[in-house]
Amino acid sequence: MPDNSITISQKSVMSMGQDDLLAVIAEAKYYVSIYLISGIRLQGYLIGSDKHTIFLKSHLDEKIKPSPLQVIYKHTISTISITDNPAQKKFEY
C-alpha cells in the first residue's frame, strides 16, 4: 500500500459505515480493485462516492494521458479490495 498518514486497521473498518470507509479510501488515494457481481474487475483510484455511485479513475496523472471518470452503481459491486500495486505512484489530484 502507499505510504500514507491514513491507515485502515481491521478494528476501525468494523466500526465504520460504508460512506465513511469509502471516504477514507478516497482521501488516502489507495489503488483499489472493484469486482462487480457480473465478475468484471475494475482497477483504479477511488475518487469519491455518493448515495448510489462510486467514482473511479484508472490513473491520476493527467499529464501522461487523461483518465476518464468511471461511474459505478453501488448495487452492481460485489467486492472492493485495496490493492498493493507498487507500479502505481501516489498522485495529487
Side-chain angles (χ1 to χ4, degrees):
M1 282 188 230
D3 183 22
N4 295 315
S5 59
I6 300 171
T7 58
I8 302 174
S9 68
Q10 285 183 343
K11 187 174 182 179
S12 67
V13 166
M14 297 303 288
S15 65
M16 285 184 182
Q18 179 188 91
D19 292 332
D20 295 332
L21 181 59
L22 292 173
V24 168
I25 292 171
E27 184 180 334
K29 299 179 182 134
Y30 286 115
Y31 192 78
V32 297
S33 292
I34 297 177
Y35 297 89
L36 305 182
I37 56 175
S38 65
I40 294 172
R41 180 181 70 180
L42 303 171
Q43 291 183 303
Y45 294 93
L46 191 129
I47 302 300
S49 65
D50 64 17
K51 186 176 178 181
H52 300 288
T53 57
I54 288 179
F55 309 106
L56 185 75
K57 280 193 153 214
S58 60
H59 64 274
L60 298 176
D61 190 359
E62 297 295 324
K63 295 174 188 171
I64 296 173
K65 179 181 175 186
S67 174
L69 182 67
Q70 296 177 333
V71 179
I72 306 154
Y73 285 101
K74 287 181 177 178
H75 71 270
T76 66
I77 296 173
S78 169
T79 307
I80 298 175
S81 74
I82 297 172
T83 304
D84 184 18
N85 188 344
Q88 296 293 329
K89 297 178 183 175
K90 180 181 173 187
F91 293 107
E92 298 297 324
Y93 56 90

